[in-house]
């Protein structure tokens, strides 16, 4: 299966193989190269490559069923290599596991991701609690290569595997009162040191929210994998939100509840520091964080000699697709 990034807004095909992305012979053979060739699929067309991700030790059955393990990068953003897997999985924010960027990789192995259920309720005609496999099964998994811009002014380019949040919400039949969507992360105090700490400032669980039109937008996905494999725990296994035009903190990890509501929902960072983190959190180089500029970003991984600074783009480069959602709004006020 050759998966293409779906529409023009994502990124244009590149004829170069980006650094950090290469063919792993073992993965390629494991993925059934012979079968692909027999089917006439150009196995190593110039624009394709496999990622540098090690296969997951054991992918759950529902994942293997949806995605048989073939890793193709059909397109990458022009001039923006895909971030090496090692950087994307060892430099993380997942505060439940600690504040150091290495803490999620160190501790998230203890997260129990199977069995996993997701509750969908609130302003919907069909509320329910779904086993993850049941939730994912009706959806096609697509690869989306998106920029992820953290509010802390670093960024990465990540190949997600996911499906449209809007399609999932439609199945739940939102009522006319559904104006917002609230998301909640799992609470596993045994696995998550910050939930046991008296010093933690966050009122757990981690919560996030979107306006309904943002949630229904075709760019918004729920990811179950990255780099052609199941999501590593530190990146939000088994189910996380990805909203590429917003600062990374909106992309809530390890989701267990999706609640449609009439009121703008409580969100973790807005509650913690409302002057610093707004509900909208659209990437905007013109609106500085009170303590630092948002004009530029450090594309990871950098080196001591190469900090890899680049200009931050309005809406993280997705303005054409999403700016109309905010027509007439004062983006300095609604930051
Ligand atoms: N989700 C939960 N549950 N807890 C968190 O601390 N951090 C957010 C977001 N989702 C966070 C979370 C922040 S600040 C960022 S930048 C992204 O996850 C980081 O995603 P990554 O680690 O996969 O790069």
């Amino acid at each position: 299966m050759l998966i293409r990034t779906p529409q023009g807004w994502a990124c244009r095909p590149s004829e170069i193989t980006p650094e950090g992305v290469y063919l792993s012979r073992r993965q390629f053979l494991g993925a059934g190269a012979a079968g692909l060739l027999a089917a006439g699929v150009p196995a190593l067309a110039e624009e394709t490559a496999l990622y540098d991700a090690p296969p997951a030790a054991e992918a759950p059955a529902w994942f293997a069923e949806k995605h048989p393990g073939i890793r193709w990068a059909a397109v990458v953003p022009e001039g923006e290599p895909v971030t090496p897997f090692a950087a994307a999985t060892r430099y993380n924010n997942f505060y439940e596991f600690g504040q150091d960027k290495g803490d999620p990789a160190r501790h998230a192995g203890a997260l129990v991701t199977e069995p996993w259920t997701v509750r969908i309720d609130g302003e919907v005609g069909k509320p329910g609690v779904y086993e993850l496999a049941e939730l994912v099964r009706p959806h096609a998994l697509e690869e989306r290569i998106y920029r992820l811009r953290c509010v802390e002014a670093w960024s990465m380019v990540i190949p997600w595997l996911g499906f449209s949040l809007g399609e999932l919400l439609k199945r739940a039949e939102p009522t006319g009162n559904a104006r917002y969507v609230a998301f909640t992360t799992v609470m596993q105090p045994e696995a998550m040191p910050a939930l046991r700490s008296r010093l933690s400032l966050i009122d757990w669980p981690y919560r996030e929210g979107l306006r309904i039109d943002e949630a229904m937008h075709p760019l918004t996905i729920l990811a179950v994998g990255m780099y052609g494999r199941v999501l590593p725990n530190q990146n939000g296994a088994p189910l996380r939100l990805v909203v590429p035009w917003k600062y990374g903190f909106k992309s809530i990890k390890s989701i267990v509840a999706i609640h449609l509501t009439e009121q703008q929902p409580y969100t973790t960072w807005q509650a913690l520091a409302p002057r610093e983190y707004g509900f909208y959190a659209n990437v905007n180089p013109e609106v500085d964080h009170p303590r630092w500029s948002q004009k530029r970003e450090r594309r990871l991984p950098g080196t001591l000699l190469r900090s890899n600074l680049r200009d931050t783009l309005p809406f993280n480069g997705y303005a054409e697709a999403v700016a109309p959602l905010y027509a007439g709004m004062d983006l300095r006020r609604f930051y």
Side-chain angles (χ1 to χ4, degrees), residues 70-305:
I70 299 167
R71 303 161 172 83
W72 296 107
V75 289
V76 295
E78 201 75 49
E80 297 183 53
V82 165
T83 300
F85 180 80
T89 55
R90 288 186 208 150
Y91 191 91
N92 300 100
N93 277 335
F94 200 161
Y95 287 95
E96 288 87 333
F97 294 101
Q99 291 189 18
D100 189 89
K101 303 295 179 215
D103 283 340
R106 266 193 289 278
H107 302 303
L111 186 74
V112 179
T113 57
E114 250 187 309
W116 193 271
T117 57
V118 180
R119 172 185 297 277
I120 304 182
D121 64 8
E123 292 292 344
V124 290
K126 284 192 179 165
V129 177
Y130 302 89
E131 291 286 340
L132 189 61
E134 198 190 336
L135 188 89
V136 177
R137 193 163 288 126
H139 300 274
L141 285 191
E142 286 177 18
E143 180 166 82
R144 301 280 184 96
I145 302 178
Y146 282 159
R147 301 179 192 94
L148 178 113
R149 167 59 157 86
C150 183
V151 73
E152 297 163 303
W154 48 264
S155 63
M156 303 195 197
V157 174
I158 308 227
W160 302 105
L161 272 173
F163 57 95
S164 154
L165 170 65
E167 294 302 317
L168 176 74
L169 296 179
K170 274 189 219 152
R171 284 174 45 226
E173 299 180 1
T175 72
N177 293 332
R179 295 181 55 219
Y180 295 92
V181 186
F183 304 86
T184 308
T185 291
V186 74
M187 296 247 272
Q188 288 184 13
E190 324 74 56
M192 298 170 153
L195 272 60
R196 304 191 300 266
S197 163
R198 292 203 189 151
L199 301 176
S200 175
L201 297 175
I202 295 180
D203 172 25
W204 306 108
Y206 193 98
R207 278 164 284 179
E208 256 310 332
L210 295 174
R211 228 169 49 186
I212 189 83
D213 57 343
E214 299 175 324
M216 301 301 291
H217 194 280
L219 279 182
T220 305
I221 58 167
L222 286 172
V224 293
M226 61 195 283
Y227 297 80
R229 44 154 286 167
V230 73
L231 270 184
N233 288 359
Q234 61 267 38
N235 294 87
L239 185 74
R240 76 172 280 170
L241 183 66
V242 183
V243 197
W245 71 94
K246 292 180 179 281
Y247 291 119
F249 68 84
K250 298 295 286 183
S251 292
I252 182 171
K253 298 177 169 181
S254 306
I255 296 168
V256 288
I258 301 177
H259 180 77
L260 285 82
T261 158
E262 198 167 1
Q263 309 300 329
Q264 182 175 305
Y266 175 104
T267 65
T268 293
W269 289 101
Q270 204 189 11
L272 201 61
R275 280 192 57 251
E276 303 193 8
Y277 310 103
F279 177 79
Y280 283 92
N282 292 319
V283 173
N284 190 344
E286 299 308 319
V287 177
D288 289 340
H289 183 280
R291 289 184 280 135
W292 61 83
S293 163
Q294 294 291 23
K295 286 201 179 349
R296 308 203 79 197
E297 66 201 57
R298 196 162 46 92
R299 178 61 54 83
L300 299 181
T303 62
L304 272 180
L305 299 175

Side-chain angles (χ1 to χ4, degrees), residues 6-44:
Q7 289 169 24
W9 27 251
C11 29
R12 278 180 294 156
S14 165
E15 51 308 326
I16 47 140
T17 301
E19 71 188 57
V21 175
Y22 60 88
L23 170 68
S24 152
R25 189 167 172 275
R26 208 182 90 224
Q27 289 169 6
F28 178 60
L29 294 175
L36 276 179
L37 290 170
V41 175
L44 280 177

